Amino acid sequence: MKLYRLLTAPDDASFCHKVTAALNNGWELYGSPTYAFNAATGIMQCGQAVTKTVEGKDYHPDIKLGEQ
């Protein structure tokens, strides 16, 4: 099965750590990162899509994507 996640975080080291952790757990970057201003918080937000292929499992809506 192919899994998809959109990682988001404030524009600080926590975002880089989140993406780095995903890459080290077998996820691959998908597309370009995104960057936007959150007017409600006054903080710039980053986003990066990642995908991962997991063999031998079937998708179901209850799956915990971050645990794969």
Side-chain angles (χ1 to χ4, degrees):
M1 87 176 134
K2 184 108 176 186
L3 303 175
Y4 171 90
R5 292 173 66 195
L6 179 62
L7 306 175
T8 61
D11 180 23
D12 60 21
S14 69
F15 176 73
C16 296
H17 285 285
K18 188 180 279 191
V19 174
T20 299
L23 294 173
N24 280 283
N25 284 314
W27 293 82
E28 296 181 10
L29 299 177
Y30 182 82
S32 299
T34 187
Y35 193 58
F37 181 70
N38 182 334
T41 63
I43 298 173
M44 293 300 293
Q45 295 286 133
C46 297
Q48 175 64 58
V50 292
T51 62
K52 183 177 185 179
T53 300
V54 177
E55 300 296 334
K57 292 187 179 181
D58 294 322
Y59 172 78
H60 56 86
D62 298 328
I63 195 166
K64 303 282 187 199
L65 297 175
E67 296 176 3
Q68 298 302 309

